[in-house]
Amino acid sequence: MVSDRIGALLMVAHMNAEAIAATHASGEATFWSRSRGRLWKKGETSGNVMRVIEMRVDCDQDALWLIVEPAGPACHTGATSCFYRRVSGDVLERVG
């Protein structure tokens, strides 16, 4: 069964050429961590990997959209998506 989260905005992360190559080779989303200064495979500690179904590029060829089938929550907080709060005036409200 295909997840209803496929195509949903789950998270934003950085990729460099090495991360793109690792993603192609493994079929699972791999990113470049600017804070750690290294590659990190989504789910390497949690097990919540993202199997890449399709990779798309924008019209300027400077952004990628990975369409994935997630094995669990995308966010390290346990939320389905990292975008689980909306700005409402001066406060953040949880959604979804």
Side-chain angles (χ1 to χ4, degrees):
M1 180 173 163
V2 175
S3 170
D4 61 351
R5 293 185 289 164
I6 292 174
L9 177 59
L10 300 177
M11 59 179 278
V12 172
H14 294 271
M15 295 180 88
N16 60 12
E18 191 178 3
I20 294 168
T23 298
H24 278 292
S26 70
E28 294 178 342
T30 303
F31 303 104
W32 174 255
S33 172
R34 295 182 303 161
S35 62
R36 298 177 211 152
R38 68 170 181 86
L39 291 179
W40 65 277
K41 181 177 155 187
K42 177 65 179 154
E44 67 187 10
T45 56
S46 68
N48 297 330
V49 298
M50 294 181 167
R51 186 177 63 82
V52 177
I53 296 171
E54 186 177 338
M55 186 181 288
R56 295 186 188 180
V57 65
D58 76 331
C59 58
D60 294 326
Q61 296 186 31
D62 61 2
L64 294 173
W65 173 23
L66 301 184
I67 301 170
V68 300
E69 184 167 13
C75 186
H76 72 280
T77 66
T80 300
S81 166
C82 292
F83 295 90
Y84 63 91
R85 298 173 292 179
R86 84 172 128 235
V87 178
S88 181
D90 293 343
V91 298
L92 297 177
E93 293 178 337
R94 189 174 183 102
V95 294

